[in-house]
Amino acid sequence: MVRMRRRLVLLLLLLGLTVLSPLALYTSRLSVALNSIPRVFPGEITNQGRGVEADKLNALPLETVSSLKEPVDIVFSEELTESKSQELRLPKVGAHKSRVLSEVTVADDGTSSKDNEVIEQVITLEAQDGGLVKGAGVSDEQEKNIGSLQQSSSEESSQDTMPKQTPAKVVAENSQSARTDGKTKTAVLPDMRIRNIKDQLIKAKVYLGLGSIRASSQYLKDLRQRIREVQKVLGDASKDSDLPKNAHEKVKALEQMLIKGKQMQDDCSIIVKKLRAMLHSAEEQLHAHKKQTVFLTQLAAKTLPKGLHCLPLRLANEYFSLDPVRQQFPNQQNLINPKLYHYALFSDNILATAVVVNSTVLNAKHPSDHVIHIVTDKLNYAPMRMWFLSNPPGKATIEVQNIEEFTWLNDSYSPVLKHLGSQSMIDYYFGTNRANSDSNLKYRNPKYLSILNHLRFYLPEIYPKLDKMVFLDDDIVVKKDLAGLWSINMKGKVNGAVETCGESFHRYDRYLNFSNPVITKSFDPHACVWAFGMNVFDLAEWRRQNITEIYHSWQKLNEDRSLWKLGTLPPGLVTFWNKTFPLSRSWHVLGLGYNPHVNSRDIEHAAVIHYNGNMKPWLEIGLPKFRSYWSKYLDYDQSFLRECNINP
């Protein structure tokens, strides 16, 4: 009986503790909170700025900004707009320059791990230590990244000046808005796990070279094993979704090894030196790879693909099996009709010529009014004719001529033809014992020795009965009707072309030798350069001003290549000096053969797009994002293309 009473009393005591104690504690804290509120009238409370003391607006104490954890998946966006990136500059000479190896290292639960944080801003390079300056091994992309890191650091420092007591809810909301608002300067970077793994590998490789860690053979062996495991699971993955399921375990094991290594080596100066050496080595490797890329690109640009070698052979065989009557083109009476729209195209590339012709005719409002004159070499004459006989350009008129039939174009008439055939010129472009200053591979491009490349300077002689023509390169695509070019008033000028001096390097001093007094006294080094590729030529004015003779006189002066070295643009610049009428930029958009950042809006509004550069659309090295503009004008089901295995 006594035992039952004791149990009852114990139960009552426990009930009192569990029910009454929380009520008492809540009452006590409520009174303290109410007493902490200053006695002010409601009307005295106004909208407060950021500088107001937080305890006047909050009943409970708030955690400070320094105690809040930065959202780990919010980092400064590297995708700056072009205009913004131009505003960001490197510090002046003598200023400190820092490089950040990594963003925040993210733990598995999504928080920033203190043990796994990477070393940021560890390399402070003075200008005298080889600080980075543009033009000394730093690419435009590196400059953008450095600029973005500098701006990110400035934003972090500005956040440190904010009041230390800021509601956590407000900070969280600001972080969330940074995630969703595309106009803010911060954004969620995708594939953070990939970035984190790569950063961990960099850190591990740093540890491998530290003396104190190398002294522990067992740790060194284990660390190398963990690095191999992580590299294996990383493989060629470029997205987080590509990682295998066991990636988390391997990365976690590496992180544990790095924590242990951090305890063994705590001298930051040694790590800084090691990172600086790794960075220097990486820059040297990057420079070497860039040189190799340029070499291989130049080599690929001059290489004839197997399909383009097969195509003329197939076409020639078919052409010579035709009856002579079937080898003729229709509507030949239109070739000398000055009231029609005439185009000149000089090329030995059948596939490229087909795209130019097809795009011109398909985008013409009245195809029957357009006449396309093609001149090719002896080797490609029969294949070129056969292609357009089997693939006629609709209602347009086509002409294919052989340059060998221009008997008037000989050494005695043309100085450039004499120069191109000379042994000194052949040795200059293709000789192996040339000076190092001329070792650039672009000098060995066969087009510089092809008369087809210089034939544009003889348009009045080739077409004596025509008064106006549009010249087209074989690496262009026509996207709109070009009939409007014939109605442009060129105001007595001979050449109508689009100027390209939006870039600083498209000036006369980049193409001509202004150390030569003949050039210096004749031209302005800062004059605007224009583009060959889509040009309107007033042949009547050409004949009146005797432009061909001007061209010949400059070619004679440049016999020793002291005025310019290569190409047709430099002689064009001197020949048509003060004789060029600037066309609207929408007529001709350039750069699709070397610049992947050509504005898509400019391409859509352009009448002609030009694949100038080495990355031609018919080569494998062509830029994939621009290839569809070109390939849409070819029928890959055509029998000759199928037989030669030419695919889009």
Side-chain angles (χ1 to χ4, degrees):
M1 191 67 181
V2 174
R3 189 173 295 174
M4 291 289 292
R5 289 179 179 176
R6 289 178 179 176
R7 289 182 177 179
L8 182 61
V9 171
L10 183 60
L11 288 173
L12 291 174
L13 289 174
L14 291 174
L15 181 63
L17 288 173
T18 57
V19 175
L20 299 178
S21 296
L23 293 175
L25 182 61
Y26 176 78
T27 305
S28 175
R29 290 198 173 187
L30 182 61
S31 62
V32 173
L34 292 175
N35 291 332
S36 65
I37 300 176
R39 298 177 181 276
V40 296
F41 292 101
E44 297 177 354
I45 300 177
T46 60
N47 293 331
Q48 304 295 322
R50 288 170 57 180
V52 71
E53 296 182 4
D55 57 358
K56 292 184 179 182
L57 300 178
N58 299 276
L60 299 178
L62 303 174
E63 57 184 338
T64 62
V65 172
S66 60
S67 65
L68 294 176
K69 295 181 179 180
E70 181 184 1
V72 296
D73 55 347
I74 303 294
V75 296
F76 188 77
S77 173
E78 294 180 356
E79 298 179 358
L80 297 173
T81 60
E82 182 178 355
S83 60
K84 189 65 179 177
S85 64
Q86 292 175 352
E87 296 175 3
L88 302 178
R89 298 296 183 209
L90 289 173
K92 296 181 179 179
V93 175
H96 294 284
K97 300 175 179 64
S98 58
R99 299 179 182 177
V100 183
L101 290 182
S102 170
E103 291 86 10
V104 182
T105 302
V106 184
D108 299 324
D109 57 354
T111 61
S112 178
S113 172
K114 182 178 180 180
D115 293 331
N116 298 332
E117 66 181 356
V118 295
I119 303 171
E120 296 186 355
Q121 298 178 353
V122 294
I123 303 177
T124 303
L125 297 178
E126 299 289 348
Q128 59 268 26
D129 292 336
L132 292 178
V133 292
K134 189 169 183 182
V138 181
S139 63
D140 294 337
E141 188 65 26
Q142 288 174 319
E143 187 182 17
K144 291 182 180 179
N145 293 339
I146 294 172
S148 65
L149 293 173
Q150 291 171 343
Q151 181 160 333
S152 178
S153 301
S154 65
E155 290 181 356
E156 291 175 0
S157 62
S158 66
Q159 290 178 358
D160 294 338
T161 62
M162 293 175 62
K164 290 189 176 182
Q165 290 188 345
T166 305
K169 183 178 180 181
V170 173
V171 175
E173 290 176 354
N174 291 339
S175 300
Q176 184 64 26
S177 66
R179 285 189 178 94
T180 58
D181 185 7
K183 297 181 180 179
T184 58
K185 294 182 181 179
T186 57
V188 179
L189 281 178
D191 307 315
M192 279 299 298
R193 290 189 64 194
I194 293 287
R195 295 169 181 265
N196 178 32
I197 293 174
K198 291 180 179 180
D199 287 346
Q200 296 294 349
L201 287 173
I202 293 175
K203 189 174 181 180
K205 291 176 182 178
V206 172
Y207 282 6
L208 285 176
L210 299 179
S212 59
I213 290 180
R214 295 182 67 86
S216 175
S217 59
Q218 184 60 40
Y219 176 81
L220 199 63
K221 180 180 178 181
D222 294 341
L223 181 58
R224 285 173 175 167
Q225 179 64 24
R226 298 292 176 265
I227 291 176
R228 285 193 293 268
E229 292 175 353
V230 172
Q231 288 176 335
K232 184 176 180 180
V233 299
L234 180 61
D236 297 329
S238 58
K239 299 184 294 185
D240 289 350
S241 58
D242 296 337
L243 293 172
K245 294 182 179 180
N246 63 338
H248 169 71
E249 300 175 2
K250 303 299 182 184
V251 174
K252 198 69 177 177
L254 177 61
E255 290 175 351
Q256 295 299 324
M257 292 297 298
L258 294 179
I259 293 172
K260 185 177 179 181
K262 186 177 181 181
Q263 296 171 353
M264 297 170 61
Q265 172 60 262
D266 56 358
D267 189 351
C268 289
S269 62
I270 297 177
I271 298 177
V272 167
K273 292 179 181 179
K274 181 62 179 177
L275 287 169
R276 184 176 293 177
M278 290 177 63
L279 186 61
H280 177 74
S281 176
E283 288 181 343
E284 291 294 323
Q285 292 180 19
L286 178 63
H287 181 66
H289 286 312
K290 283 184 175 180
K291 290 182 65 176
Q292 187 179 28
T293 300
V294 172
F295 174 83
L296 294 176
T297 302
Q298 294 278 1
L299 187 63
K302 302 199 308 276
T303 303
L304 183 66
K306 184 178 180 181
L308 295 186
H309 179 70
C310 163
L311 184 61
L313 296 178
R314 295 276 187 176
L315 290 167
N317 182 61
E318 190 73 18
Y319 179 78
F320 290 115
S321 65
L322 293 178
D323 295 333
V325 178
R326 297 178 58 192
Q327 294 178 353
Q328 303 303 317
F329 292 106
N331 303 322
Q332 293 299 286
Q333 70 278 3
N334 293 334
L335 297 179
I336 58 175
N337 186 351
K339 296 181 179 179
L340 300 179
Y341 307 127
H342 294 264
Y343 303 87
L345 175 58
F346 310 134
S347 175
D348 58 358
N349 188 324
I350 297 171
L351 209 61
T353 303
V355 170
V356 176
V357 173
N358 290 344
S359 62
T360 302
V361 175
L362 290 176
N363 288 290
K365 294 181 180 179
H366 304 287
S368 59
D369 293 339
H370 296 257
V371 182
I372 302 175
H373 304 263
I374 301 171
V375 179
T376 188
D377 56 16
K378 182 179 180 180
L379 184 64
N380 291 279
Y381 174 68
M384 189 77 74
R385 290 182 67 89
M386 186 63 215
W387 175 268
F388 289 106
L389 287 170
S390 59
N391 301 275
K395 297 180 180 180
T397 303
I398 195 86
E399 179 188 30
V400 178
Q401 291 178 282
N402 183 359
I403 193 173
E404 299 291 336
E405 297 175 357
F406 300 157
T407 55
W408 51 268
L409 189 60
N410 49 50
D411 294 355
S412 60
Y413 176 68
S414 172
V416 67
L417 192 60
K418 181 179 180 180
H419 295 165
L420 293 178
S422 65
Q423 188 61 41
S424 61
M425 182 69 76
I426 295 174
D427 291 340
Y428 177 74
Y429 282 127
F430 299 103
T432 56
N433 299 322
R434 293 179 294 116
N436 293 331
S437 59
D438 292 336
S439 61
N440 196 318
L441 193 65
K442 68 181 180 180
Y443 286 90
R444 302 190 179 189
N445 197 318
K447 72 177 183 179
Y448 297 127
L449 289 180
S450 173
I451 188 58
L452 284 175
N453 201 39
H454 297 265
L455 203 58
R456 65 194 70 185
F457 293 101
Y458 296 101
L459 286 172
E461 287 81 1
I462 300 173
Y463 308 106
K465 296 186 178 181
L466 299 179
D467 295 331
K468 203 168 191 178
M469 292 194 77
V470 169
F471 168 77
L472 299 176
D473 260 340
D474 63 356
D475 55 352
I476 63 102
V477 172
V478 178
K479 298 176 78 274
K480 295 183 179 179
D481 184 21
L482 299 183
L485 290 171
W486 276 263
S487 61
I488 294 177
N489 181 6
M490 295 173 59
K491 300 179 180 179
K493 304 294 184 180
V494 178
N495 172 32
V498 170
E499 294 181 337
T500 59
C501 53
E503 306 287 348
S504 60
F505 56 85
H506 285 159
R507 304 285 177 173
Y508 265 58
D509 59 348
R510 288 295 182 130
Y511 297 89
L512 304 176
N513 180 19
F514 274 87
S515 63
N516 190 301
V518 176
I519 295 293
T520 304
K521 69 180 183 180
S522 303
F523 307 103
D524 177 7
H526 303 294
C528 190
V529 171
W530 42 266
F532 261 142
M534 196 285 297
N535 304 75
V536 185
F537 288 110
D538 188 334
L539 301 186
E541 195 66 28
W542 183 315
R543 298 184 188 98
R544 191 183 68 81
Q545 299 186 28
N546 201 8
I547 299 298
T548 303
E549 186 58 34
I550 296 176
Y551 169 69
H552 284 171
S553 63
W554 280 110
Q555 286 289 358
K556 291 176 182 177
L557 291 173
N558 193 46
E559 184 176 2
D560 57 353
R561 297 174 299 280
S562 61
L563 306 184
W564 65 85
K565 291 186 177 181
L566 56 93
T568 53
L569 182 57
L573 296 178
V574 299
T575 300
F576 297 106
W577 171 252
N578 288 332
K579 297 175 177 62
T580 300
F581 178 81
L583 300 177
S584 170
R585 291 182 180 272
S586 61
W587 280 110
H588 189 188
V589 170
L590 299 98
L592 279 73
Y594 71 91
N595 181 14
H597 306 295
V598 178
N599 194 312
S600 58
R601 184 178 300 177
D602 292 340
I603 295 176
E604 294 301 325
H605 290 86
V608 170
I609 55 176
H610 195 170
Y611 292 83
N612 58 312
N614 288 321
M615 301 178 184
K616 304 299 185 185
W618 55 84
L619 300 176
E620 290 186 3
I621 61 173
L623 295 172
K625 64 184 297 185
F626 300 140
R627 186 176 282 120
S628 60
Y629 296 111
W630 186 85
S631 60
K632 66 183 290 187
Y633 292 105
L634 279 179
D635 180 12
Y636 289 95
D637 291 330
Q638 208 270 351
S639 59
F640 293 113
L641 299 187
R642 290 202 314 270
E643 291 173 0
C644 292
N645 198 27
I646 297 176
N647 302 306

